[in-house]
Amino acid sequence: MKSRVSSREWLLQTLFVGPALLVFVIIVALPFVLGLYYSLTDWNGVSNQVLWIGLGNYRELMGDEGFWDSFGFTVRFTIVAVVLTNLVGFVLALILTRYLKLRNLLRTIFFLPNVIGGLLLGFIWQFIFVKGFAALGNWTGLSFFELPWLGDATTSFWAVVIVSVWTGSGYLMIIYIASLMNVPADLHEAASIDGASSWQRLRNITIPMIMPAVTICLFLALSWSFKTFDVILSLTRGGPYNSTQSVALNIYTEAFQNNRLGLGTAKAIVFFIVVALITIIQVWLTKRQEVEA
Amino acid sequence: MAHRRYTSGMLILELCAVLLGLLFLIPFYFLIANSVKSFAEILLDSAAWPTKFVWSNYTRAWEIMKFPRAFGNSLFITVISNLGLTLISSLSAYRFVRHPSRFNNIIFTLFVAAMVIPFQSIMIPLMKVASWFHLLDSRMGLFVCYLGFGVSISVFLFHGFVKSIPVEIEESAVVDGCSPLGVFWKIVFPLLKPMTVTIIILNSLWIWNDFLLPSLLLGRAELRTIPLSTFSFFGQYTKQWDLALAALVMGITPIVVFFLTLQRHIIEGITAGSVKG
C-alpha cells in the first residue's frame, strides 16, 4: 500500500514539475555549467579538439583592451542612462498624477516606445539622427542638430542615451505613478496648512514615501542599461571605432565573429558575475528598505 | 482632494505636458511621414510633410521582407511559447507551494536564482547544447528555448500568487472525489487568471520583440520573425530609406495595435510584474 501511494506521488511530481524542470535543465542549467568549463578551454567552434588551457582565457581577458573599453562604455552609459531615465520618468509621473484633462492620453504616449523592440527602435532612430536631425538643423538653424550625430564617439554616446531615455522613461513613469497614488493626500494637505512650500512637500513627503518605487526603478534601469544590446546593434553597431560597444556586444562579437568561443565564454562569465553582484545588492537594499518602511 | 479646481496654473502645466508628449511623438512623425515619400524627397527634406504619397514603398517592402510570413512566424512562436510557458509554470509553481518537499524547495530556489543570469552569459554554450538536442534551425527548437528562458520568472510570479489561494477550496473538491490534476485544472488554474494575464503580457512583449535568440538559433529565411526579417532587410537595403521606413512601420504596427487595444491590462500587468519581480 505504502509503495503504491509513493509511486502515485512520484507520478504526480513528474507530471507537475517534470516539464518545467526538464526545459530549465537543458536550456539554462546545462549551458551555464558548460560555460564554466568552456571558459577554461581554447574552444573555437570549428576544430573538434577542445584543449584545456586553465585560466588562460581569463589572463588574456585581463589584458584585452577592447573588453575593458566596452566595460568602460557600459559603466558610463549605465550611470547617465539610469539617472536621466529615472529623472524623466519621475517628472512625467509627477505631472501626470495631477488632474490634467489629457493625462490618460499622455500616459499612453509616453509609454508607447516601450512596447517596440530595441532592434526596430535603433533603426528608426538611426534615420532620425542621420536624416531627421539634418533637416531639423536646416529648419531651425540650431547647431545642436548639425552635430555629426552617430559620426563621432561623443555624439554616438549621447545618441544611445537619448534612445534609451526615450524608451525607458515611460515604463518607470508607470511605476512612479502607481507609487505616487499611494501617498495619502491628507499628508500633503496637513503640510500645506502648516505652510510648507510645494518643493518642501516634494522633498520631505513625496520622495520619502515613494522610496520603494525609487529602488525598483533604479535597478530596473540599471539592469536594462547594463545589458543593452539590441538598440546598439541597430543604431551604431558599436561604432564608430567600437566607441559604443557594450559588454554584451563585445561578447557577441568575440564569439560569433572572431570565433573565439572559449575567450567569449570567459568574458560571459565575468559579465555574469558583475550582473549577479548588482542584482544581489539590489535585493539586499530593497529588503532593507521594506523593514524600515 | 480639496484643490481639484482647474486653475490657470493647471492649464500651463497641461500645455507643457502636451508639448512634452509631442516631443516624444516626433520620431513617429519622421518615421511615418518619410515612409510614404520618394527616395529623392526624403533626401531633399525629411522634416517636411510628403508632397506626393508613394504607397508603392509599402507594397515593395511588403514583398521583399515577405511580411505575412514574418508576421505569421512571430505570431506562431509567441502564441505557442505562451501556451507552453503558462501550462508548465503554473503546474510546477502549484506543486512547489502545495508540496514544499526539500527537493521542490531546492528546485524553486534554483529557478529564482537563475533569473539573475543574463542571456549573453550563456548564449555561447547554448548553441552547443542546441545542436546536441537538434534545436537549431527549427520552430520547435526556438519554442523549447523560450520555455527554458521564460520558466524562471513565470514560476516565480505564479508561486507568489498560488500562496494567496486558500487550500480549503481544494480540500473540499478532493473530498468530492476530484483527481489532483482535476483539482488543478478545474479549480486552481481558473483562480490564477489575473496572474496568468500578467505573465502572458510580459512574455508576449519579450518574445515578440526578441532578436538575439532567434538570430542565433534560426538560419533558414522562411523561419524569420519580424525582428529578424527587419534586420536582414537592413543588411540588403542599406540607406534605401524609402523602403526601409515602410518596412519599419509595418514591423511596429502589430505590437502597437496590441498595446493600444490591451493598454489597461498591459500597464497593470507591467506594474504587477515589476513590483513583484
Side-chain angles (χ1 to χ4, degrees):
Chain A
M1 188 65 197
K2 189 168 178 260
S3 79
R4 254 189 65 205
V5 169
S6 71
S7 78
R8 197 179 109 95
E9 272 302 298
W10 203 85
L11 187 73
L12 282 176
Q13 172 78 15
T14 314
L15 195 68
F16 278 83
V17 179
L21 186 58
L22 185 71
V23 289
F24 177 78
V25 167
I26 295 175
I27 302 302
V28 179
L30 187 57
F32 184 74
V33 176
L34 268 180
L36 293 175
Y37 162 71
Y38 280 127
S39 73
L40 305 168
T41 68
D42 69 345
W43 182 34
N44 61 16
V46 185
S47 95
N48 279 324
Q49 234 179 356
V50 173
L51 269 183
W52 178 271
I53 54 167
L55 292 175
N57 286 324
Y58 290 94
R59 237 173 273 128
E60 186 175 348
L61 170 162
M62 283 309 201
D64 184 335
E65 270 181 44
F67 183 62
W68 295 112
D69 286 347
S70 73
F71 236 106
F73 163 78
T74 308
V75 170
R76 274 182 295 132
F77 163 72
T78 300
I79 294 171
V80 176
V82 166
V83 171
L84 290 182
T85 313
N86 274 280
L87 260 179
V88 175
F90 181 67
V91 169
L92 291 178
L94 269 186
I95 297 174
L96 295 183
T97 40
R98 307 293 293 274
Y99 291 92
L100 299 183
K101 292 194 162 56
L102 293 173
R103 66 177 176 164
N104 286 329
L105 177 69
L106 287 165
R107 283 181 191 182
T108 308
I109 290 174
F110 292 127
F111 187 81
L112 183 64
N114 218 283
V115 299
I116 302 169
L119 190 89
L120 275 70
L121 287 180
F123 283 133
I124 295 172
W125 276 92
Q126 195 191 335
F127 175 75
I128 291 165
F129 283 123
V130 175
K131 292 276 172 277
F133 272 29
L136 287 175
N138 277 340
W139 279 46
T140 61
L142 290 174
S143 56
F144 171 82
F145 292 116
E146 283 158 353
L147 294 171
W149 286 97
L150 305 183
D152 68 36
T154 316
T155 53
S156 302
F157 175 85
W158 287 102
V160 181
V161 169
I162 290 171
V163 180
S164 306
V165 173
W166 180 74
T167 316
S169 50
Y171 196 108
L172 302 187
M173 170 195 77
I174 294 294
I175 299 173
Y176 281 129
I177 285 177
S179 174
L180 284 171
M181 306 283 261
N182 284 330
V183 179
D186 43 345
L187 271 182
H188 278 284
E189 276 164 30
S192 336
I193 292 167
D194 292 344
S197 69
S198 52
W199 172 247
Q200 281 172 321
R201 276 180 288 153
L202 179 70
R203 267 204 54 194
N204 299 320
I205 300 174
T206 311
I207 292 179
M209 288 296 286
I210 63 157
M211 272 324 273
V214 175
T215 316
I216 293 171
C217 288
L218 281 178
F219 280 95
L220 266 178
L222 193 58
S223 141
W224 296 334
S225 318
F226 210 82
K227 298 186 220 168
T228 306
F229 180 88
D230 292 16
V231 163
I232 293 182
L233 184 70
S234 52
L235 185 65
T236 66
R237 284 226 165 199
Y241 307 108
N242 291 341
S243 60
T244 57
Q245 193 179 55
S246 64
V247 180
L249 188 57
N250 182 278
I251 296 170
Y252 176 85
T253 315
E254 194 68 73
F256 300 113
Q257 277 168 29
N258 306 345
N259 271 331
R260 307 238 4 222
L261 299 175
L263 181 59
T265 320
K267 291 178 172 185
I269 303 280
V270 174
F271 183 54
F272 160 72
I273 293 171
V274 175
V275 171
L277 278 178
I278 293 175
T279 318
I280 290 165
I281 296 171
Q282 163 198 7
V283 173
W284 179 71
L285 280 177
T286 321
K287 284 267 148 46
R288 207 182 56 160
Q289 234 151 29
E290 275 166 12
V291 175
E292 281 171 4
Chain B
M1 276 191 96
H3 31 259
R4 233 194 233 193
R5 250 187 33 245
Y6 200 78
T7 58
S8 58
M10 291 288 278
L11 184 68
I12 293 170
L13 191 68
E14 179 115 37
L15 286 175
C16 292
V18 169
L19 277 178
L20 262 175
L22 290 176
L23 190 70
F24 258 67
L25 288 177
I26 285 179
F28 293 108
Y29 165 75
F30 273 99
L31 173 67
I32 295 166
N34 288 293
S35 71
V36 286
K37 286 183 192 171
S38 68
F39 188 64
E41 206 186 330
I42 295 176
L43 292 189
L44 191 68
D45 187 352
S46 63
W49 187 250
T51 51
K52 213 180 101 217
F53 287 80
V54 185
W55 297 111
S56 63
N57 288 346
Y58 278 86
T59 49
R60 282 175 64 203
W62 176 280
E63 273 160 30
I64 297 170
M65 77 182 280
K66 302 223 167 35
F67 185 76
R69 191 178 72 188
F71 176 79
N73 287 336
S74 279
L75 190 66
F76 180 76
I77 194 68
T78 307
V79 169
I80 61 164
S81 305
N82 264 308
L83 288 176
L85 269 174
T86 306
L87 189 68
I88 66 172
S89 348
S90 58
L91 277 170
S92 65
Y94 171 67
R95 182 81 185 172
F96 289 156
V97 175
R98 293 293 185 245
H99 293 262
S101 65
R102 188 194 281 178
F103 178 79
N104 279 346
N105 285 340
I106 292 173
I107 302 299
F108 178 62
T109 313
L110 272 182
F111 277 16
V112 175
M115 283 161 46
V116 174
I117 305 173
F119 175 73
Q120 288 90 355
S121 283
I122 53 174
M123 65 182 176
I124 306 167
L126 174 72
M127 290 302 100
K128 192 88 184 165
V129 174
S131 83
W132 290 344
F133 288 90
H134 303 289
L135 303 176
L136 288 176
D137 213 8
S138 86
R139 282 200 189 95
M140 275 306 127
L142 187 58
F143 165 68
V144 173
C145 286
Y146 279 128
L147 292 187
F149 285 115
V151 80
S152 284
I153 177 93
S154 309
V155 167
F156 176 70
L157 290 172
F158 271 129
H159 189 272
F161 200 83
V162 174
K163 275 196 289 189
S164 69
I165 298 176
V167 70
E168 288 77 17
I169 307 175
E170 295 159 43
E171 278 163 357
S172 60
V174 175
V175 173
D176 293 343
C178 208
S179 73
L181 209 56
V183 171
F184 173 78
W185 190 243
K186 288 190 197 120
I187 297 168
V188 179
F189 190 72
L191 290 173
L192 294 177
K193 196 180 156 204
M195 191 41 87
T196 308
V197 172
T198 297
I199 289 174
I200 287 180
I201 283 166
L202 292 175
N203 287 335
S204 298
L205 289 175
W206 159 52
I207 294 170
W208 184 274
N209 288 325
D210 191 27
F211 167 73
L212 193 48
L213 175 63
S215 83
L216 293 176
L217 223 55
L218 303 178
R220 276 180 294 157
E222 59 261 38
L223 298 182
R224 282 183 191 143
T225 58
I226 288 180
L228 294 189
S229 50
T230 313
F231 189 75
S232 77
F233 189 95
F234 266 80
Q236 289 167 38
Y237 296 85
T238 331
K239 309 297 175 219
Q240 287 218 33
W241 289 113
D242 47 345
L243 295 179
L245 294 175
L248 282 173
V249 173
M250 294 190 297
I252 67 170
T253 302
I255 196 79
V256 168
V257 171
F258 174 75
F259 168 62
L260 293 178
T261 36
L262 291 174
Q263 214 190 127
R264 198 172 55 84
H265 293 285
I266 291 176
I267 286 181
E268 275 170 12
I270 276 170
T271 319
S274 61
V275 171
K276 282 166 195 132

